[in-house]
Amino acid sequence: MAEFDLIARILARAGVRADVALGIGDDGALLVPPAGQQLVAVCDTLNAGVHFLPDADPADIGWKSLAVNLSDLAAMGATPSWALLSLSLPQADADFVERFMQGFSALADESQIALVGGDTTHGSLSVGVTALGFVPAGMAMTRGGARPGDAVYVSGTLGDAAAALRLQQSVDGAAGVSPALLARLNRPTPRVTLGQALRGVANAAIDISDGLLADLAHVARASGVGIELQAGALPISKALSALASATQRVRWQATGGDDYELAFTLPPERVPALEGLGVTCIGRVVAGEGVRLRDGTGESVVFEQAGWEHFTGATQ
Ligand code: ADP
Ligand code: MG
């Protein structure tokens, strides 16, 4: 199986869009962005043994490699359009590529993304995706717009993926983890529609990939504000609320990675715009700095780790 045959299998699932003047097959893709829009470009890599277990289902790896990028686009308020895929493979494994593209294209088709190019090389298993999207000029959300007095919201529920990963690594393996939790780890749902709905509503937004506290610390720093959160307000799934101790659950919710939910801030007068969006108020923006999580009695809840960070081994 040569590189060319692998690329042919990828091409078969690349998807089509009218704004792709030239897709896979030449030295570069020719893309036609709509007038009046800004391009949003994001890039995230998944490495075997770091971001996924070496024996993970290739279809899950395909889905997640795109999902983590769509989550970044969602946090910017962008409408996804195109992706590029850099695949490093230990061997020219057609089955792996087929399964991988099944997962990748399931999400790409659902999100109306066309795969327009990439690179296929020999090396240890690694998947890099670059995704592009549009936002009306000047309308992108950033981490820097939070203001004292804003309410802090989060989408969906928190901690499921972290709990699934931890339970999967314990005695029973994946078989011992509820399918609802495993799906949150292996097939995260990027909040693309929500991100677009928040344009012009949220003052600041971020997607939660490394842990709520760690990611909101980026918002606090970029905005020059402090953030106060209520532990009891953090949204929790049914599956997670049946597990472990209350302390452990809050730890997963506040510091576990891989949620791919959106956290955002907005002035209280815009809260009615959130009706029906499946989001939960978890705190408020204050003058000052840093992120504080408080329990029901107002005491600070402190964890030794706020979230995941590469190179330093996790402590932030
Ligand atoms: P070049 O040598 O000019 O970089 P390649 O032979 O690597 O070209 O790639 C041929 C075509 O296939 C290009 O259009 C490239 O974007 C596309 N391609 C290669 N690998 C991938 C991949 N993993 N996913 C999507 N497109 C790919
Ligand atoms: Mg070339």
Side-chain angles (χ1 to χ4, degrees):
M1 177 71 46
E3 180 190 330
F4 176 82
D5 301 304
L6 296 178
I7 296 173
R9 284 165 191 268
I10 294 169
L11 173 60
R13 290 187 188 262
V16 283
R17 282 177 63 102
D19 54 13
V20 179
L22 184 62
I24 292 174
D26 215 300
D27 289 313
L30 290 176
L31 309 171
V32 189
Q37 307 266 319
Q38 288 176 312
L39 267 184
V40 183
V42 306
C43 179
D44 253 326
T45 301
L46 303 185
N47 293 326
V50 178
H51 300 93
F52 57 88
L53 303 173
D55 63 348
D57 180 347
D60 287 342
I61 303 170
W63 174 284
K64 193 162 176 177
S65 69
L66 182 58
V68 300
N69 281 280
L70 295 190
S71 181
D72 281 327
L73 287 180
M76 301 297 292
T79 304
S81 53
W82 308 307
L84 295 107
L85 169 63
S86 176
L87 263 186
S88 167
L89 301 170
Q91 60 256 332
D93 181 344
D95 285 343
F96 179 93
V97 170
E98 277 293 335
R99 296 278 298 140
F100 176 92
M101 285 307 296
Q102 251 173 42
F104 185 98
S105 62
L107 181 57
D109 293 350
E110 193 182 303
S111 318
Q112 295 175 303
I113 285 230
L115 182 60
V116 298
D119 195 24
T120 307
T121 57
H122 183 216
S124 47
L125 181 56
S126 172
V127 182
V129 172
T130 299
L132 297 154
F134 316 126
V135 72
M139 294 292 284
M141 299 183 290
T142 67
R143 301 173 175 188
R147 297 289 170 262
D150 279 2
V152 180
Y153 273 75
V154 72
S155 63
T157 61
L158 297 169
D160 297 314
L165 180 63
R166 175 58 60 86
L167 296 173
Q168 191 177 341
Q169 287 166 337
S170 71
V171 271
D172 296 335
V177 190
S178 85
L181 287 183
L182 270 184
R184 295 273 292 161
L185 175 65
N186 295 328
R187 298 260 175 157
T189 307
R191 304 300 183 185
V192 174
T193 319
L194 173 63
Q196 292 168 51
L198 292 177
R199 292 198 301 240
V201 173
N203 276 345
I206 192 167
D207 75 311
I208 305 170
S209 50
D210 298 330
L212 177 73
L213 296 182
D215 287 320
L216 278 179
H218 297 313
V219 172
R221 203 174 307 117
S223 301
V225 298
I227 292 177
E228 298 268 350
L229 301 174
Q230 292 297 326
L234 303 183
I236 190 162
S237 69
K238 255 208 182 101
L240 183 58
S241 55
L243 292 175
S245 66
T247 311
Q248 180 59 67
R249 290 194 298 264
V250 173
R251 186 188 306 272
W252 278 327
Q253 290 178 286
T255 70
D258 267 0
D259 289 308
Y260 302 105
E261 297 293 350
L262 294 185
F264 57 95
T265 84
L266 78 174
E269 65 270 18
R270 291 194 209 135
V271 164
L274 302 179
E275 183 74 39
L277 293 180
V279 297
T280 306
C281 183
I282 57 171
R284 63 198 178 100
V285 178
V286 296
E289 59 183 32
V291 181
R292 271 161 306 279
L293 181 68
R294 296 191 191 283
D295 67 16
T297 67
E299 287 291 307
S300 279
V301 185
V302 177
F303 300 104
E304 60 281 11
Q305 292 176 357
W308 172 257
E309 215 226 308
H310 288 278
F311 301 113
T312 60
T315 313
Q316 294 199 338

